């Protein structure tokens, strides 16, 4: 048994997995600076819940990143290679924009803060495009699950550093100093980029226009071509032609259902988190309690979830894992409704956060592995950006209305709604099972 455990862990210590973990870390830091830490800053400055909810819209670049992703597929900036050269550019932009955001003042000019936060989100989204492409191209298809697990492990630690670490530091220093400190953390990303190995380039586009439309055409045509090639119709009579047409039409639905599944799978979990910092403060927890209990106590559960999610997905397969983890996420979200009803109970908070982080770590690992398997290495950056943009869309658009929903429903009903809204994705996944090899 010990031998089996060690053999399962060994892949995590390979250099390319450690690189993946580190890239996950630098990906997780900027996002929380524009969500958790910014929410706390705005709350301390007396900004209303409705306005704080609207600040979720600064994350719009994460949902639109597929629009400029073809640039990263088409252009190579230096001899460092296509992926590493763009990583350096986006990481330098992140350092500059994070410092600029920290120098703003929400009480004096909220619009200025929103613009700067959007620039941080744009730089972060651009970095994510290149990191996702790098991970997909540097790992084999068989390594994508472990790679996703390593990425999530690093991402969660980065989110912890920015979210929990930032909140705790904000109790002892100004928010300006906290953002300045977080900008220095991003220099680690530059170091990792320099020592990383440039992945093999699988495709050279004939022109920039082709780099824009070919990834989308390939994705939607892939299942139609697969269906036609496997459709062995010998007699070309009216019935066979109708059958063939019906098969093609069904195949055309597959990519649409894939995109719908990606859009909806994490929607409940995402909406539950959109105002989490405001929720914890609202029911009576201090920033230090949020930083220590919510973030640090949840770290062990998150890392365990990400690690276990990779191993379980390898054993059970992606389909069963996505179903199990999806149900687990919905149940864990209900814990927030119980917490809202009971109030500021530390032990209950520990229990709810542990279950939620365990479920989130498992679900996100299988989710990213699914997305990776849906991309073609010829168009990695653009296709991955399209799918992860859909993944972030609920956080940006739906979460933008979360403040109004809370004021309308109250916290308990809001979290019940977040739990139930996740189930349509599981229904879609059952429809896709026969068409996808997962």
């Amino acid at each position: 048994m010990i031998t089996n455990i060690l053999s399962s862990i060994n892949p995590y210590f390979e250099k390319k997995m450690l690189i993946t973990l580190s890239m996950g870390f630098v990906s997780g830091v900027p996002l929380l600076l524009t969500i958790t830490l910014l929410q706390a800053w705005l709350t301390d400055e007396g900004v209303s819940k409705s306005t704080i909810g609207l600040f979720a819209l600064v994350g719009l670049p994460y949902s639109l990143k597929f629009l400029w992703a073809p640039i990263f597929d088409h252009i190579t900036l230096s001899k460092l290679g296509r992926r590493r050269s763009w990583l350096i550019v986006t990481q330098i932009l992140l350092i500059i924009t994070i410092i600029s955001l920290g120098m703003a003042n929400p009480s004096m000019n909220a619009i200025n803060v929103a613009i700067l936060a959007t620039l941080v989100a744009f730089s972060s989204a651009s970095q994510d495009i290149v990191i996702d492409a790098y991970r997909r191209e540097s790992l084999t298809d068989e390594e994508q699950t472990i790679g996703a697990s390593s990425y999530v492990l690093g991402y969660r630690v980065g989110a912890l550093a920015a979210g929990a670490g930032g909140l705790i530091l904000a109790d002892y220093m100004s928010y300006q100093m906290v953002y300045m400190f977080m900008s220095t953390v991003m220099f680690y990303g530059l170091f990792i980029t320099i020592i990383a190995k440039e992945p093999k380039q699988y495709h050279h586009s004939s022109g920039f226009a082709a780099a824009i439309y070919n990834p989308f055409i390939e994705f939607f045509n892939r299942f139609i071509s697969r269906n036609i090639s496997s459709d062995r119709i010998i007699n070309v009579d009216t019935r066979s032609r109708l059958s063939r047409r019906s098969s093609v039409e069904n195949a055309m639905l597959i990519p649409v259902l894939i995109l719908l599944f990606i859009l909806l799978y994490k929607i409940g979990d995402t909406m539950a988190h959109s105002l989490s910092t405001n929720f914890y403060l609202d029911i009576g927890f201090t920033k230090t309690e949020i930083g220590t209990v919510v973030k640090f106590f949840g770290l062990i559960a998150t890392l365990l979830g990400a690690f276990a999610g990779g191993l379980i997905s390898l054993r059970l397969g992606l389909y069963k894992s996505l179903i199990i983890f999806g149900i687990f996420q919905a149940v864990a979200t209900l814990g927030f409704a119980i917490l809202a009803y009971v109030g500021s109970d530390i032990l209950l908070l520990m229990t709810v956060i542990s279950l939620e982080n365990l479920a989130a770590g498992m679900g996100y690992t299988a989710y990213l592995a699914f997305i990776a398997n849906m991309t073609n290495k010829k168009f990695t950056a653009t296709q991955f950006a399209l799918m992860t943009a859909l993944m972030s869309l609920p956080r940006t658009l739906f979460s933008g209305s979360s403040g109004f929903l809370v004021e309308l429903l109250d916290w308990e009903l809001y979290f019940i709604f977040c739990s139930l809204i996740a189930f349509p994705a599981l229904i879609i996944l059952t429809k896709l099972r026969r068409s996808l090899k997962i």
Side-chain angles (χ1 to χ4, degrees), residues 124 187 240 305 310 431:
S124 177
F187 280 98
S240 64
K431 301 293 183 182

Side-chain angles (χ1 to χ4, degrees), residues 359-411:
M362 289 179 168
Y364 195 50
T365 297
Y367 191 38
L368 282 183
F370 174 84
I371 291 175
N373 278 281
M374 295 300 105
T375 62
N376 186 321
K377 285 188 176 182
K378 292 181 179 180
F379 314 106
T380 313
T382 305
Q383 289 186 349
F384 220 120
L386 171 64
M387 296 182 195
T388 53
L390 284 173
M391 176 178 70
S392 68
L393 192 61
R395 182 178 66 232
T396 304
L397 296 183
F398 293 99
S399 297
S401 62
S402 58
F404 298 101
L405 284 174
V406 170
E407 291 177 348
L408 178 66
L409 300 175
D410 73 36
W411 288 115

Side-chain angles (χ1 to χ4, degrees), residues 250-264:
N250 289 334
M252 291 176 65
L253 284 175
I254 295 172
V256 175
L257 290 176
I258 290 172
L259 295 178
L260 278 175
F261 169 76
I262 292 171
L263 174 67
L264 298 174

Side-chain angles (χ1 to χ4, degrees), residues 6-7 49 55 60 86 97 130 148 173 178 193 208 225 239 259 311-312 327 343-344 378 388 391:
L6 291 176
S7 63
K49 289 186 182 68
F55 257 81
L60 196 60
W86 276 114
T97 54
V130 188
M173 63 177 70
V178 174
T193 299
F208 185 64
S225 300
R239 181 177 298 179
L259 295 178
L311 297 181
I312 292 173
I327 294 173
S344 56
K378 292 181 179 180
T388 53
M391 176 178 70

Side-chain angles (χ1 to χ4, degrees), residues 299-430:
L299 175 63
I300 296 176
T302 301
L303 298 181
L304 179 61
F307 178 74
L311 297 181
I312 292 173
S313 296
L314 283 176
R315 295 293 181 93
L316 298 182
L318 273 180
Y319 173 77
K320 290 182 179 179
S321 298
L322 286 166
I323 292 291
I324 294 171
F325 300 158
I327 294 173
F328 189 14
Q329 286 175 162
V331 173
T333 301
L334 285 176
F336 287 110
I338 298 173
L339 184 62
Y341 177 79
V342 173
S344 56
D345 185 297
I346 292 293
L347 290 178
L348 180 59
L349 179 67
M350 291 179 178
T351 302
V352 171
I353 292 304
S354 295
L355 289 175
E356 193 281 329
N357 279 275
L358 184 66
M362 289 179 168
Y364 195 50
T365 297
Y367 191 38
L368 282 183
F370 174 84
I371 291 175
N373 278 281
M374 295 300 105
T375 62
N376 186 321
K377 285 188 176 182
K378 292 181 179 180
F379 314 106
T380 313
T382 305
Q383 289 186 349
F384 220 120
L386 171 64
M387 296 182 195
T388 53
L390 284 173
M391 176 178 70
S392 68
L393 192 61
R395 182 178 66 232
T396 304
L397 296 183
F398 293 99
S399 297
S401 62
S402 58
F404 298 101
L405 284 174
V406 170
E407 291 177 348
L408 178 66
L409 300 175
D410 73 36
W411 288 115
E412 294 95 328
L413 289 177
Y414 175 73
F415 288 123
I416 292 173
F417 170 78
C418 290
S419 177
L420 295 177
I421 201 174
F423 283 97
L426 302 182
I427 296 172
I428 291 173
L429 185 60
T430 60

Side-chain angles (χ1 to χ4, degrees), residues 60-62 64-73 121-122 125-126 129:
L60 196 60
Y62 290 102
L64 299 176
K65 60 185 179 181
F66 64 90
L67 294 177
W68 64 91
I71 295 173
F72 304 126
D73 269 339
F122 173 81
S126 299
I129 292 171

Side-chain angles (χ1 to χ4, degrees), residues 114-115 169 220 263 277 280 284 344 381 389 438:
I115 292 172
L169 288 174
F220 283 95
L263 174 67
T277 302
Y280 299 135
S344 56
I438 56 172

